[in-house]
Amino acid sequence: METRNTASGNVFKERYYRYHIDVRDASWKIRLPKKFRVKIYNNCVNIQECVQACVYNVHRVGEDSRLAEPLEELCRGCHRCTLVCPKGAICIELNPEFQKLGDSYFTPERIENLFFEAETGRIPVSGAGYGGDFAGRGFNGFWFDFSEIVRPTRDGIHGREYISTTVDLGRKPHSLVFRGSQLVSEFPRLIELPIPIILDSPLYSSSGRNLSLVLARTANKLGTLSIIEAEDYFDGLKPYIFNLMPRIRPNGMMDYPQLIKYSRIVELDYREEMISEDEMKADLRYVRELNPSIIVCARFSSVNGMVCNAEIAVRSGVDIIHIHVDDRSVKHDPDIIVDTIRRVHSHLVENRIRDEVSLVSSGGIAEAAHVPKSIILGADAVAIGLVYQIVLGCRVCYGDRHRDDCPMNVEEADIGIASQRIVNLISSWRDQLLEVLGGMGLREVRRLRGELGRAIFYRELEEKVFGDSE
Ligand SMILES: [Zn+2]
């Protein structure tokens, strides 16, 4: 029986290992405004048909056996009660406070779902059928294609069949070279993560070290990685070093030799549009002299230079490429993230260097479906950022820091519950990933990478159907 090290540092016996996420109720001090307002007018004659009709228990009978105040937070807006009331005494309307949440990208409905996932760890049920857009831009511009079934669907979510969500991040050499029985080529540098989701570093906030602790603990519980700005590192994070990925600007590397020495992975943050191969090679040399076994991820955030820089990174010997498009740009142009992942992935494939590195993408991730969609476009894994801050109370901030009036504030007392909320969110997203994989009959998420045939693109469909007509 083979034993292996997981990312959380546990040694497990291969045959018996099944990844499990511990989900627990995690209500939070910050609550969302109720979605609906339920009003009962004075012409109510108290015959209480609504109590019978409502399956969500919004209407109930009080101690005086009269109709009590409706529990608005339970209302799902099905309008059964308004239909059965013979007096037309009930009115349900959308709460304007709820409508004001978020923006055109992080919509109130998306925020509501994120809160539900973080609180319960369950999958939000939309009711009858698919409630989202059937065409749109960015991640809304394509859907999963479950028609290409090569074998029956799998039941991943209830665990009757095991579907693996494990990914390997790092560099794989083209081939292994042996001299006699001695391996002479470079040993593959890989990190195995049980889920294709890592945590990106948060925007600057007043929560400071508490939030860093929350993220480190969460990454440890999930067996994944948390990206942390090198300057935010402090000794309290030491127990979690195995799950941390310090992010360092290459020209500031000299300030963090110890951190580089003791980390197993580091992210070099290149923000320029053009980076030369010589520069990158020199940066890698510096890092590997301090720590020869370290895995190096290069993060790029200039969309224009992305394809070029990705190729240079592979040729320079980087292990992982992180393509990051900031959320504000995605909000303005949702296609930008979809096009960027597709372009980088296909460029590396065309140049036959795709399999030498892993690709992580981030930006515009706002719901569970965006994880498998990013993977279909060519990413090995995604880094989530704003979504986990939203479930901690952020009302959608962009840029480098949270707005001064942002309600997100993680205090020392909240650390456990804040971490549980992110754990729940990711558990729910993993279950939704399993649903997608199960529906496609896939046994592991690795098989989904770059499988564009598993998606239907609205733009392409439209061209096919209406291509010739004006
Ligand atoms: Zn915020």
Side-chain angles (χ1 to χ4, degrees):
M1 197 181 304
E2 194 188 340
T3 54
R4 284 199 287 172
N5 281 306
T6 65
S8 55
N10 306 321
V11 175
F12 63 84
K13 303 275 188 239
E14 173 111 58
R15 203 179 298 165
Y16 301 120
Y17 178 70
R18 239 176 204 221
Y19 182 62
H20 171 78
I21 301 177
D22 186 20
V23 166
R24 259 173 290 154
D25 181 76
S27 308
W28 185 241
K29 54 188 178 184
I30 298 169
R31 307 199 70 82
L32 295 180
K34 296 158 201 158
K35 187 170 185 182
F36 296 102
R37 278 185 180 161
V38 183
K39 283 186 198 150
I40 298 182
Y41 293 120
N42 287 340
N43 59 336
C44 168
V45 289
N46 206 38
I47 54 168
Q48 301 172 0
E49 293 275 353
C50 50
V51 178
Q52 289 295 316
C54 182
V55 293
Y56 303 109
N57 302 317
V58 173
H59 303 287
R60 71 226 144 91
V61 181
E63 276 174 15
D64 57 356
S65 62
R66 294 189 66 80
L67 202 60
E69 274 295 302
L71 294 170
E72 291 175 315
E73 61 272 25
L74 299 178
C75 180
R76 305 285 288 271
C78 74
H79 283 276
R80 261 186 78 131
C81 58
T82 60
L83 291 174
V84 299
C85 179
K87 291 287 177 184
I90 306 172
C91 169
I92 296 177
E93 54 186 24
L94 274 169
N95 180 4
E97 285 305 308
F98 177 84
Q99 295 289 84
K100 273 191 243 160
L101 282 175
D103 55 33
S104 60
Y105 193 83
F106 286 91
T107 59
E109 284 72 25
R110 276 183 170 158
I111 294 176
E112 188 193 23
N113 278 345
L114 292 172
F115 258 67
F116 178 84
E117 289 162 336
E119 217 137 290
T120 64
R122 301 207 310 269
I123 300 177
V125 178
S126 56
Y130 168 71
D133 296 322
F134 274 103
R137 298 175 60 207
F139 288 120
N140 282 345
F142 65 107
W143 323 287
F144 300 117
D145 183 352
F146 294 108
S147 66
E148 200 187 312
I149 298 290
V150 288
R151 52 145 286 153
T153 55
R154 291 168 187 277
D155 168 31
I157 200 164
H158 298 294
R160 281 193 284 265
E161 285 182 279
Y162 192 68
I163 296 178
S164 166
T165 53
T166 301
V167 287
D168 302 301
L169 295 186
R171 175 169 276 265
K172 278 156 257 174
H174 243 315
S175 53
L176 295 177
V177 183
F178 290 90
R179 194 171 296 136
S181 59
Q182 202 81 34
L183 178 69
V184 289
S185 59
E186 220 179 321
F187 201 72
R189 278 190 301 269
L190 291 171
I191 282 189
E192 187 184 282
L193 301 181
I195 41 169
I197 301 172
I198 64 174
L199 304 169
D200 207 348
S201 56
L203 309 183
Y204 177 81
S205 74
S206 56
S207 302
R209 290 186 166 186
N210 287 340
L211 183 55
S212 300
L213 267 174
V214 166
L215 297 173
R217 274 171 67 157
T218 306
N220 179 265
K221 267 194 231 165
L222 295 168
T224 187
L225 297 165
S226 166
I227 300 175
I228 178 171
E229 283 289 349
E231 60 187 41
D232 292 339
Y233 181 82
F234 61 103
D235 276 347
L237 294 175
K238 229 180 211 163
Y240 307 106
I241 189 86
F242 203 68
N243 300 94
L244 296 181
M245 179 166 166
R247 184 166 113 191
I248 308 179
R249 294 275 292 143
N251 53 16
M253 286 193 296
M254 279 66 97
D255 298 336
Y256 305 103
Q258 293 299 315
L259 199 52
I260 294 172
K261 220 167 165 178
Y262 295 110
S263 298
R264 42 172 201 157
I265 180 164
V266 70
E267 178 166 88
L268 300 183
D269 184 9
Y270 294 96
R271 297 183 193 170
E272 304 79 4
E273 200 175 310
M274 291 280 291
I275 298 129
S276 79
E277 195 168 328
D278 289 342
E279 253 175 85
M280 213 178 279
K281 277 183 173 159
D283 295 339
L284 281 172
R285 217 174 300 125
Y286 177 82
V287 173
R288 293 208 170 116
E289 261 164 33
L290 286 167
N291 181 349
S293 65
I294 199 165
I295 293 177
V296 181
C297 172
R299 178 194 187 101
F300 301 115
S301 39
S302 157
V303 173
N304 289 336
M306 208 71 89
V307 169
C308 215
N309 288 334
E311 186 184 336
I312 290 172
V314 184
R315 303 214 185 277
S316 307
V318 159
D319 305 304
I320 302 169
I321 295 169
H322 180 172
I323 46 180
H324 173 73
V325 182
D326 72 281
D327 289 304
R328 188 186 269 137
S329 306
V330 180
K331 180 188 144 198
H332 290 311
D333 177 8
D335 289 332
I336 199 170
I337 181 70
V338 170
D339 292 343
T340 304
I341 304 174
R342 250 182 116 163
R343 275 195 303 130
V344 172
H345 171 73
S346 56
H347 180 80
L348 299 181
V349 169
E350 279 157 25
N351 285 277
R352 299 170 187 222
I353 48 177
R354 175 62 185 92
D355 282 328
E356 289 181 33
V357 283
S358 301
L359 210 58
V360 173
S361 70
S362 63
I365 303 276
E367 58 177 73
H370 294 172
V371 178
K373 283 188 173 183
S374 301
I375 295 172
I376 284 177
L377 294 170
D380 291 282
V382 302
I384 59 169
L386 205 41
V387 283
Y388 74 69
Q389 292 165 84
I390 288 173
V391 304
L392 299 183
C394 168
R395 289 291 150 86
V396 190
C397 301
Y398 297 106
D400 293 335
R401 49 169 51 237
H402 288 272
R403 291 188 307 266
D404 290 340
D405 63 346
C406 176
M408 188 187 89
N409 179 23
V410 182
E411 286 161 29
E412 202 151 338
D414 311 326
I415 288 176
I417 192 131
S419 171
Q420 187 64 48
R421 281 178 78 80
I422 306 175
V423 168
N424 288 353
L425 175 79
I426 292 179
S427 177
S428 166
W429 282 26
R430 178 175 182 262
D431 282 347
Q432 293 175 70
L433 174 63
L434 289 173
E435 294 267 83
V436 170
L437 294 170
M440 290 177 179
L442 290 177
R443 209 159 54 164
E444 49 176 354
V445 71
R446 283 183 271 228
R447 295 273 177 92
L448 192 62
R449 190 195 79 190
E451 284 287 319
L452 291 171
R454 298 283 187 177
I456 304 169
F457 288 83
Y458 173 71
R459 236 188 290 169
E460 288 163 17
L461 205 62
E462 199 181 37
E463 255 162 49
K464 220 196 256 170
V465 177
F466 301 111
D468 297 334
S469 55
E470 283 295 301

